[in-house]
Amino acid sequence: MAAKAGDNPDSLMALSTAFCLRNLRRTMCYLGDGNKLCLRSDVFLPSEICDKLVNTYMELVHSDSNFEPQDGFFLLFSDLRSTRLTRVQLREDLVRDRDLEAIGKQDLIELHLTYCNSLSARSLKTLASFRQTLVSLSLFGCSHIFYRKGGAPLACNEDDEEEEEQRPASRQALDTDFSFQGFNRLRLLNLGGLPEEVDPEALLKPLPALTSLDLSGVQLPRAAFLAQWKERLASLVLYNVDLSEELVNTVVELGHLRHLDISRERTSKFKMTRKILTAIVQGLVNLVSLDISGHIMLDNCTVPHLEEVTGSKNEDQVLNAIEAYTEFRPELAHRAINQLFDIARIQHCSQLLRALQLVIAALKCHKYEKSVQVTGSAALFYLTNTEYRSDQSMRLRRQVIQVVLNGMEQYQEVTVQRNCCLTLCNFSIPEELEFQYGRVNLLLLKILEPARQDESIQRIAVHLCNALVCQVDNHHKEAVGKMGFRSLWIKTYCDQVMEFSWSALWNITDETPDNCQMFLNCRGMSLFLDCLKEFPDKQELHRNMLGLLGNVAEVRALRPQLLTPQFISVFSDLLDSKADGIEVSYNACGVLSHIVFDGPEAWGMEEPLRDTVMDKMMAAIQSWDVTSRRNINYRSFEPILRLLPQSIAPVSQHWATWALFNLVSVYPSKYCPLLVKEGGIVLLEKVLELQTSHEETKDMARYDLTY
């Protein structure tokens, strides 16, 4: 049997690392003085483990909403006697100057800082401490690292230090003291997004041994200095750099280049002619890859003998583009994902595993980038639909669910929310969503808040809520009720989401007394009457409302709140309803069956008379076709079975026996085992023994016992 996409399980190393990070105090650490997190004295962690811990920590912080950043985490790696770090990747605003200082004694070989905008020139001093060992360094998008904190004095204690951390770096306070002098081992350097005020030539001059350089978005008014690496440089990225004749001539001198990227996000005044392109290709004889996308091409330019270049010609090129551009070029990744969306929607995606993994990675990497979130969530909808489902493993589908929920949490944009909700509809509910049950319900209930006006999204959200509570235990239903019963309840107010909301409330109150109580507390009966009056012909609505009230009536402590002349009259009138087959009449009779079961002493009102209501109930039951196929689903017969062995309300017994007879005769394979499992046989035999049981009731009980 062929393996499904993403079938390989997580490694033991990955599982252990995540477990330790989620349980630091129970595994590697303890709380020291001042609630400071400290590494246990008997712990020594080699570089393979330390690197994994730090990098996984960053991934969990950015991709798992249930994972809380741990204050002082980086201090765990401050002592070389117990920890060793060599390769670290840190990203975004979470990383602060003090975090980098905490690991300043480590002999780092690789340090990749991406969009770490909270770092200031204070971190440049920490960088200098790695100069003896660093081989690879990225400062991509760290726009403030070359600036001092605005007007900040030198920190002299922890409170001052905390205050300084909160200050933004001042764009006027440029740090001119930092130099790459002494970084003799540095070979790979990424300075993408270097501020205009920083002179790249002066900064890079002390680095004669570079083999890979990324200057994306950096202005190069004097390009000749690049020639200092003509004997060594193998990779040069000048994405979104304004090209000039001088720059092109200098690049052509770099004869050892194997990878050259001079692409642009948007076109520029510089025109790519056949002459320029020929000079590049002929001058750089070792070139393996060339990216010139975004340029206006003149004179029918072509590049012979170069293969595997990214583009939009076919699926391979599109996936290559997503892979190449995701980390540092979200605008291009967005375009490539949009091409993948079209492939999955119109044609067929033949590399499903790779496609899903790349889209997941892009959504994780750019959670605040609107264009990526919109196109990525749309692509996931098509990549997880029925056509591709059989090729996906449970593990991969869980990864999709996680990233979809991340998008719903982090980006409250209508299109993203709609795409994410629609993608969740591609999964088996509640089974595939149960591992994130509380989280997904919170997000769906948030969509139903009154401030949200998009009814199309709210309809999908209510549908999902309904499916989530339809086949789960009472514990889950109670949890949903506590999370946001009122949010779901508000949507029952006479709008397009109303029918779905009543259906969801029917499910959420099933055998869940706390939720039934909340329904009554939220003026549920008043709303029930309002909806009946406003929508007298909405059959589905009536069925759903009566089904919910049946759940309320099953709770003995709540029945007195239903026992008013107004409510009993309404339920009695609905016994005559022919809406939705027998369902409205059946549900109304079920509500009354539980109420009259409490006996004449509990009735406590003169009109309508209890006997009159019971006679009307019996007439309604006798009018039903016992072979009716039902739009209903029972998980348990317990509320029905409790009405069998009694003589205080024979009509309730009759309704319960009819319900069982109908279900076990029309759906024997489904409901006969349930009847036996829940002790129904013994209770039906008692019906036959009771003198108060109607003969018709006994006849149905005998039929039930024969199945």
Side-chain angles (χ1 to χ4, degrees), residues 458-496:
Q458 292 182 334
R459 280 199 299 275
I460 303 169
V462 172
H463 164 74
L464 288 167
C465 280
N466 196 7
L468 280 164
V469 297
C470 191
Q471 295 291 330
V472 295
D473 57 33
N474 293 350
H475 171 73
H476 279 116
K477 293 179 183 179
E478 288 173 1
V480 176
K482 291 174 182 176
M483 277 189 276
F485 191 93
R486 190 172 294 273
S487 294
L488 185 60
W489 177 242
I490 287 168
K491 300 316 300 175
T492 59
Y493 276 97
C494 308
D495 60 16
Q496 295 183 33

Side-chain angles (χ1 to χ4, degrees), residues 572 574-578 582 584-594 596 613-628 630 643 646 649-662 694 696-697 700:
S572 297
L574 288 170
L575 289 171
D576 299 327
S577 173
K578 304 302 179 185
I582 68 168
V584 172
S585 178
Y586 171 87
N587 286 335
C589 197
V591 173
L592 290 169
S593 292
H594 290 288
V596 299
V613 171
M614 289 195 296
D615 288 344
K616 195 169 183 180
M617 290 167 62
M618 182 63 75
I621 297 170
Q622 290 173 334
S623 71
W624 302 338
D625 180 0
V626 79
T627 64
S628 298
R630 311 294 305 287
L643 299 176
Q646 51 95 8
V651 70
S652 300
Q653 183 190 64
H654 192 66
W655 175 83
T657 308
W658 188 97
L660 294 174
F661 180 39
N662 167 255
H694 291 290
E696 291 179 56
T697 307
M700 289 190 295

Side-chain angles (χ1 to χ4, degrees), residues 330-354:
E331 64 280 357
L332 297 185
H334 149 67
R335 295 180 193 174
I337 294 173
N338 204 38
Q339 293 285 341
L340 176 63
F341 164 78
D342 286 335
I343 291 172
R345 178 174 63 94
I346 302 171
Q347 305 169 31
H348 178 79
C349 180
S350 60
Q351 301 177 57
L352 180 65
L353 173 58
R354 186 182 178 206

Side-chain angles (χ1 to χ4, degrees), residues 115 216 237 239-240 261-267 291-295 310-312 317-340 362 366 369 371-372 375:
Y115 300 117
S216 295
V237 177
Y239 170 67
N240 270 351
D261 184 344
I262 51 175
S263 61
R264 296 189 59 82
E265 178 189 359
R266 299 180 182 88
T267 57
D291 193 337
I292 54 174
S293 55
H295 284 284
T310 66
S312 58
Q317 287 191 351
V318 168
L319 295 179
N320 287 343
I322 300 173
E323 185 170 12
Y325 297 141
T326 285
E327 185 171 10
F328 299 130
R329 304 182 195 176
E331 64 280 357
L332 297 185
H334 149 67
R335 295 180 193 174
I337 294 173
N338 204 38
Q339 293 285 341
L340 176 63
H366 298 290
E369 189 75 32
S371 61
V372 174
T375 55

Side-chain angles (χ1 to χ4, degrees), residues 344-411:
R345 178 174 63 94
I346 302 171
Q347 305 169 31
H348 178 79
C349 180
S350 60
Q351 301 177 57
L352 180 65
L353 173 58
R354 186 182 178 206
L356 276 173
Q357 288 175 333
L358 288 173
V359 174
I360 289 170
L363 289 170
K364 283 184 177 180
C365 190
H366 298 290
K367 59 185 178 183
Y368 299 122
E369 189 75 32
K370 176 181 176 180
S371 61
V372 174
Q373 290 294 322
V374 170
T375 55
S377 56
L380 285 182
F381 170 70
Y382 283 100
L383 290 170
T384 56
N385 67 17
T386 306
E387 178 184 358
Y388 300 105
R389 181 170 182 172
S390 61
D391 297 325
Q392 299 166 13
S393 69
M394 179 187 296
R395 177 169 174 262
L396 185 64
R397 288 176 70 79
R398 283 193 168 194
Q399 290 175 356
V400 173
I401 292 169
Q402 289 274 27
V403 81
V404 163
L405 298 182
N406 290 346
M408 293 176 70
E409 282 175 339
Q410 295 155 358
Y411 211 90

Side-chain angles (χ1 to χ4, degrees), residues 13-31 37-45 49 53 57 60 67 70 73 76-77:
M13 178 66 157
L15 293 171
S16 302
T17 302
F19 179 83
C20 287
L21 289 170
R22 295 179 189 278
N23 301 274
L24 283 172
R25 298 177 194 176
R26 293 166 49 197
T27 53
M28 314 181 321
C29 303
Y30 67 96
L31 282 181
L37 197 65
C38 303
L39 203 63
R40 296 184 183 276
S41 59
D42 58 347
V43 170
F44 174 78
L45 303 173
I49 293 178
L53 283 168
Y57 173 82
L60 288 172
F67 185 82
Q70 180 66 56
F73 173 77
L76 299 176
F77 305 91

